[in-house]
Amino acid sequence: MRNTIVSKFKNYKSTNPENISLLDWLKDTSYKKDVEYIRTVTNKEERNKLKSNLPTITPSGIFSKRNISGLIKHSGFICIDIDSGDNPNITDFFNLRNQLGNIVNVAYSGLSVSGNGVFCLI
């Protein structure tokens, strides 16, 4: 993953990407306190507003803009999200993240910013 370059955006509305190592992004703790605070917010609208200010990446590659026609180079990874909205029967996302991390084709699994979901890189 260290040699895998992806696009990073200032936030989910931003259209100006910069390149970053996928591994560097996954190891970055710059926003740890922000994420920990967001996980304490119970009001969904407020939580979404806070999340919207965080930077984001396109883990599937380098993009000139955030849509399929903007793909410059694919990273070789596909990202999937599993969240509570679509999976109300899942109650322990921390445990799910750990279980998914044991699957041989899952290169990385992490909790979502809200903590109510998991994302995986396959």
Side-chain angles (χ1 to χ4, degrees), residues 50-84:
L50 292 168
K51 287 180 1 180
S52 73
N53 292 316
L54 292 175
T56 186
I57 63 164
T58 51
S60 290
I62 300 170
F63 287 76
S64 61
K65 54 186 173 181
R66 289 181 48 186
N67 61 36
I68 191 66
S69 67
L71 178 63
I72 296 169
K73 181 179 179 189
H74 200 280
S75 68
F77 291 101
I78 294 174
C79 184
I80 62 167
D81 288 314
I82 303 168
D83 61 35
S84 60

Side-chain angles (χ1 to χ4, degrees), residues 7-36:
S7 293
K8 175 183 172 185
F9 295 84
K10 181 179 176 181
N11 56 49
Y12 82 96
K13 291 182 180 179
S14 175
T15 57
N16 299 319
E18 61 181 83
N19 292 340
I20 187 171
S21 155
L22 180 57
L23 185 60
D24 289 346
W25 168 260
L26 294 172
K27 288 185 166 193
D28 186 353
T29 59
S30 302
Y31 298 94
K32 183 177 181 176
K33 288 184 180 183
D34 296 317
V35 170
E36 288 170 347

Side-chain angles (χ1 to χ4, degrees), residues 83-109:
D83 61 35
S84 60
D86 295 327
N87 302 281
N89 57 320
I90 299 173
T91 57
D92 187 349
F93 285 98
F94 184 81
N95 184 42
L96 176 61
R97 179 204 63 186
N98 293 341
Q99 288 180 33
L100 291 169
N102 290 323
I103 298 172
V104 69
N105 292 327
V106 175
Y108 183 88
S109 63

